[in-house]
Each structure stands twice: as structure tokens, then as C-alpha cells.
């Protein structure tokens, strides 16, 4: 009987010890998606949770429809990974954040931007940054880039088809994100007026006429009801000012050694899934909503964007190392471009 009592007592003691030991906390991921938990970005993140178990992480997702709140939660330590556009993530890694620099991915052939080759530039850049050798570039302070995937070309949405040249941008009101200095400088450079906005309200400002122009990917067309802003007089200019990306930033102190690199590799292999989302979004825009520009203007605007991003890099808005890498990749897919014989961005 005494032995039995001792055994029961010992068992109770072990149970109490087990209950007193805290379970290992999950790492929280703040995911910005315009459509919240029902959006494509959040759905891609669900698959990531399963894959991350193999990298030594136990992730828990939380959806945000306001990118600012998601970013603030990450900044204050309420989440361990931020999934957001590079407009917000650039503050944590300037190299990865510069993939979206004005015209940095654009490849011009036969007087127009070759979009398949431009996306190839983005793909090769992401693959390069996913490798172990890039870990030093992908780490800044206590933060590491844990993934990059494409979000689509940013096009100009204009209230009137009469706004069909750079010269006609002068005096127009263009939505500008306060936290992206490059936008404000570029808008001022073409003689337009920047109007303060962010991802949560720039679409509404366009729709209600507070601004004449916005830059947005095709993925924003339906969710933000941008067709209301276009009306019958407006158009989407079929010339990309940048190719946008979503990026994951991890607090490296919360993850095992090597997690970020394995995570970047995972997301680099998700590039086709990202492109499928982009292609579906562009196909969902009526043909009549688009406006093409003359071939001569494509070349002229590409040069303008190049000069602007070089100037912005000198001012600290973009990382020169990233622009150097992307120029080399552009020239690897289009060696005939005249820029490849210059030292600009090298």
C-alpha cells in the first residue's frame, strides 16, 4: 500500500511539474493583405506555416487589412515576422527593399517594356538573394529578410486619357506614401503635386477625385474598386514604373540559426505562384481600361526612371549595391541595351 501511495504521489508531482512548465510559444506572423484572411497573400502564407516547421519554426498567422498596423505590431515586438510590401519592409533591409526601385527591373526591347524579361530580372534577383552567400546582404541589425515574392508591375492610373505624357503630369495631384521618400521626390521631379496617402486610403482618394493619378498593381484594381476612379474618361497606362514585391522580415533573435535563408529559398520557389496571381489580376482588367504609349516615349521614360533612381540612391532612398546587382541581371538578359556599355549604377 505504501509503495502504491508513493507511486501515486510521484505521478501527481510529475503532472504538476508538467503543467507548470510553459509550452513553447509560437512565433507570430503579421500578414498584410488587402482582402485580409480571404486574400491571395494570406493563402500563400498558410502553406508557408506548414513548410516552416521543417525550418524549426512554429508559426501562427494574423491577417491585417491595414499595413500600417501590421508594421507597427512588428516594430513593437507583437509579432516576429512581418509580411508586407517593400514600401514598409525597406526600413529593415535597404538591399532587398530596393528591388522595387523605379524602373530597376524594366527591360526595354523594340521600343516597349518586355514584361516577361522584366519579371525574369525580378526572379533572378530573388533567387540570388535567396542563396546562403547573400545572407550578409539580407541581414541588417537584428532583422533578416525571410522571403521575397512578386506582387506585380505598378502602373499609373489616370483620371483622364489626356494625361498621356510626362509633360502632362505637371500640376496634377498624385498620391504619395509618406513613408516612401522616393515617391515624393519623383512626383516633384515631374512637376506634379504629391498628396499624402497610404495603402489603406490611396485607392479611395483616387476614386473620390482627391488625386488625379495613383500608381498601383493590377491586383489592386478589383479589391479597391479602382474602376470607379477611372470612370469612362480614365485609363491604366501600360508602362510599369516599378515591379513591386512582398517581403518577409524576421526578428532573427526569435528563430533558429539558418531559418531565414531556408525561408528565402522556400519563397523563391513560390515565384510561379506569385506570377499566377499577377497574371490572373491583369486578365481581370477589361482591355478598354488600358492605354498604350508610343514606343519613343517608352525609351524616354525608361531613361527618366533610370536617372531618377540613380539620384535617389545617392540621396539614400535606394541601396546602390542592389541597383548594381539588378543592372548586371538586366544586362544578362538584354546585352544589346545601350546602358550595358555605361558605368551608371556600377
Amino acid at each position: 500500500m505504501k509503495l502504491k501511495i508513493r507511486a501515486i504521489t510521484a505521478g501527481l508531482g510529475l503532472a504538476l511539474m508538467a503543467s507548470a512548465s510553459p509550452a513553447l510559444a509560437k512565433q507570430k506572423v503579421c500578414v498584410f493583405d488587402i482582402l485580409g484572411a480571404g486574400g491571395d497573400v494570406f493563402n500563400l502564407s498558410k502553406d508557408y506555416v506548414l513548410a516552416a516547421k521543417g525550418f524549426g519554426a512554429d508559426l501562427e498567422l494574423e491577417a491585417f487589412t491595414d499595413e500600417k498596423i501590421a508594421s507597427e505590431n512588428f516594430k513593437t515586438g507583437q509579432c516576429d515576422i512581418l509580411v508586407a510590401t517593400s514600401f514598409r519592409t525597406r526600413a529593415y533591409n535597404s538591399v532587398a527593399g530596393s528591388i522595387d526601385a523605379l524602373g530597376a527591373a524594366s527591360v526595354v526591347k523594340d521600343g516597349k517594356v518586355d514584361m516577361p524579361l522584366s519579371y525574369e530580372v525580378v526572379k533572378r534577383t530573388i533567387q540570388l538573394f535567396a542563396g546562403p552567400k547573400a545572407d550578409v546582404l539580407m541581414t541588417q541589425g537584428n532583422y533578416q529578410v525571410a522571403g521575397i515574392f512578386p506582387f506585380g508591375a505598378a502602373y499609373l492610373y489616370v483620371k483622364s486619357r489626356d494625361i498621356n505624357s510626362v509633360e502632362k503630369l505637371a500640376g496634377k495631384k498624385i498620391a504619395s506614401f509618406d513613408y516612401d521618400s522616393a515617391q515624393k521626390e519623383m512626383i516633384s521631379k515631374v512637376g506634379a503635386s504629391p498628396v499624402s496617402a497610404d495603402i489603406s486610403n490611396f485607392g479611395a482618394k483616387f476614386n473620390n477625385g482627391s488625386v488625379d493619378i495613383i500608381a498601383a498593381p493590377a491586383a489592386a484594381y478589383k479589391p479597391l474598386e479602382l474602376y470607379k476612379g477611372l470612370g469612362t474618361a480614365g485609363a491604366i497606362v501600360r508602362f510599369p514604373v516599378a515591379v513591386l514585391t512582398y517581403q518577409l522580415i524576421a526578428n532573427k533573435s526569435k528563430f533558429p540559426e539558418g531559418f531565414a535563408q531556408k525561408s528565402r529559398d522556400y519563397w523563391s520557389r513560390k515565384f510561379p505562384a506569385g506570377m499566377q496571381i499577377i497574371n490572373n489580376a491583369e486578365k481581370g482588367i477589361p482591355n478598354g481600361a488600358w492605354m498604350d504609349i508610343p514606343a519613343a516615349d517608352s525609351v524616354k521614360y525608361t531613361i527618366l526612371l533610370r536617372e531618377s533612381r540613380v539620384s535617389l540612391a545617392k540621396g539614400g532612398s535606394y541601396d546602390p549595391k542592389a541597383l548594381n546587382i539588378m543592372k548586371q541581371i538586366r544586362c544578362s538578359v538584354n546585352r544589346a541595351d545601350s546602358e550595358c556599355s555605361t558605368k551608371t549604377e556600377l
Side-chain angles (χ1 to χ4, degrees), residues 27-32 40-52 55 57 59-62 67 70-71 74 79-97 99-100 126 129-130 135 137-140 142-151 244-252 255 259-271:
Q27 292 107 334
K28 192 171 181 181
V29 184
C30 290
V31 183
F32 165 65
D40 291 320
V41 175
F42 193 82
N43 284 331
L44 284 177
S45 299
K46 289 179 183 177
D47 295 334
Y48 174 56
V49 170
L50 297 175
F55 315 150
L59 305 179
E60 178 182 18
L61 303 178
E62 182 175 359
E67 191 177 40
S71 301
F74 178 69
C79 50
D80 307 306
I81 293 179
L82 172 65
V83 183
T85 66
S86 71
F87 297 122
R88 292 286 183 181
T89 64
R90 192 180 300 149
Y92 299 99
N93 191 284
S94 59
V95 178
I99 290 179
D100 299 26
I126 290 174
F129 288 167
D135 212 51
L137 291 177
M138 297 294 99
T139 303
Q140 291 183 1
N142 193 45
Y143 300 102
Q144 290 182 302
V145 178
I148 308 170
F149 61 100
F151 189 42
L244 307 180
T245 61
Y246 253 84
Q247 303 193 8
L248 287 78
I249 302 294
N251 180 335
K252 72 176 183 180
F255 296 92
F259 168 82
Q261 193 276 312
K262 292 174 184 174
S263 179
R264 290 197 304 274
D265 180 65
Y266 168 86
W267 283 105
S268 74
R269 288 183 279 109
K270 284 292 181 180
F271 192 90

Side-chain angles (χ1 to χ4, degrees), residues 218 221-222 227 277-287 289-290:
Y221 178 78
K222 287 183 178 178
Y227 45 85
I277 293 170
I278 293 166
N279 291 333
N280 288 342
E282 297 208 351
K283 288 176 183 176
I285 296 176
N287 289 334
W290 295 96

Side-chain angles (χ1 to χ4, degrees), residues 11 21 29-30 32 43 64 71 118 140 157 165 175-176 197 234 239 268 320 338:
S21 300
V29 184
C30 290
F32 165 65
N43 284 331
F64 291 82
S71 301
S118 298
Q140 291 183 1
Y157 289 61
S165 69
S176 173
F239 178 86
S268 74
S338 59

